[in-house]
Amino acid sequence: MQPDKSVGENLRQLRKEKGWSLDVAAKATGVSKAMLGQIERGESSPTVAKLWQIASGFNTSFSRFIAPPGREILESMFRDAAELRQESLNQGFFVSLLFPFEQTLGFEIFEISLAPHYQHQSEPHNLGVTEHILCISGEMAVLFADQWHPLKPGQAVRFNAHQPHGYKNLGTEQAVFHNVIHYPSNP
């Protein structure tokens, strides 16, 4: 798997904006200085879980690392999930960043596809972060409050994401869902 250089460039830019050394960033995120350096240099690609850990430590949105910086002015946008889909962060976990985080809105929207029987577990996000899951196709389940909650197409759930949570495909065909992640303020 080829490392994604934009993740490293975005990490370096955010670290410089905050005025943090690699040591400070390592303490804030719980990710080693060596690993952060490798990501910044494009020598290593973090998993989704590791990238979330870094985003939480920086108190920023997940999309801040995988999208160009947001614009000041809210504009109309047309997006195609098929053109945006990436699997570079986890095998079997296809992420399409439909709308990156914009400060004026306070949320980001992803379309996520799970390979058959694939399961992904996430560490808790920062306090106040909520996720809104809408199942588009396939059968899936969402883990929160220490139990799996099944969803069929057209069904949705919202939960506080500052707890361990996850997503799994319950079927033999790809499961697709939209994930709206809302941040309380200043991610």
Side-chain angles (χ1 to χ4, degrees):
M1 187 182 318
Q2 219 33 316
D4 184 348
K5 297 216 184 265
S6 65
V7 170
E9 290 166 6
N10 290 340
L11 172 58
R12 182 184 349 263
Q13 180 181 350
L14 182 59
R15 188 173 57 78
K16 289 186 188 268
E17 286 172 13
K18 288 193 172 274
W20 288 3
S21 66
L22 280 172
D23 283 325
V24 171
K27 287 177 182 147
T29 62
V31 176
S32 74
K33 177 180 168 181
M35 174 59 79
L36 291 172
Q38 290 172 353
I39 294 168
E40 283 191 7
R41 292 187 302 274
E43 297 170 357
S44 178
S45 286
T47 63
V48 168
K50 190 62 67 183
L51 202 50
W52 262 115
Q53 182 180 350
I54 295 168
S56 292
F58 274 88
N59 194 30
T60 194
S61 67
F62 182 81
S63 66
R64 176 68 167 84
F65 292 102
I66 61 175
R71 294 161 303 284
E72 297 287 321
I73 300 170
L74 187 60
E75 302 172 347
S76 297
M77 296 176 76
F78 293 91
R79 311 283 279 178
D80 183 336
E83 292 176 7
L84 301 167
R85 194 163 290 124
Q86 298 179 35
E87 191 186 21
S88 62
L89 301 173
N90 276 81
Q91 197 83 12
F93 188 78
F94 304 91
V95 178
S96 299
L97 176 57
L98 295 177
F99 296 101
F101 177 82
E102 293 186 51
Q103 190 69 41
T104 56
L105 300 175
F107 64 86
E108 57 196 358
I109 302 176
F110 298 91
E111 180 181 280
I112 299 175
S113 302
L114 304 173
H117 304 294
Y118 182 85
Q119 180 174 318
H120 176 81
Q121 301 232 190
S122 292
E123 294 295 318
H125 302 318
N126 291 339
L127 186 65
V129 175
T130 57
E131 291 195 25
H132 308 73
I133 307 295
L134 170 62
C135 182
I136 303 299
S137 65
E139 291 190 33
M140 62 175 292
V142 180
L143 173 68
F144 63 91
D146 295 324
Q147 72 182 69
W148 288 98
H149 305 272
L151 293 177
K152 293 182 180 179
Q155 294 182 323
V157 66
R158 177 180 65 201
F159 62 93
N160 293 318
H162 63 272
Q163 61 185 310
H165 57 282
Y167 328 96
K168 71 177 169 182
N169 183 340
L170 300 174
T172 58
E173 296 185 16
Q174 197 168 51
V176 179
F177 65 97
H178 287 167
N179 187 353
V180 178
I181 303 174
H182 183 265
Y183 299 88
S185 63
N186 299 327

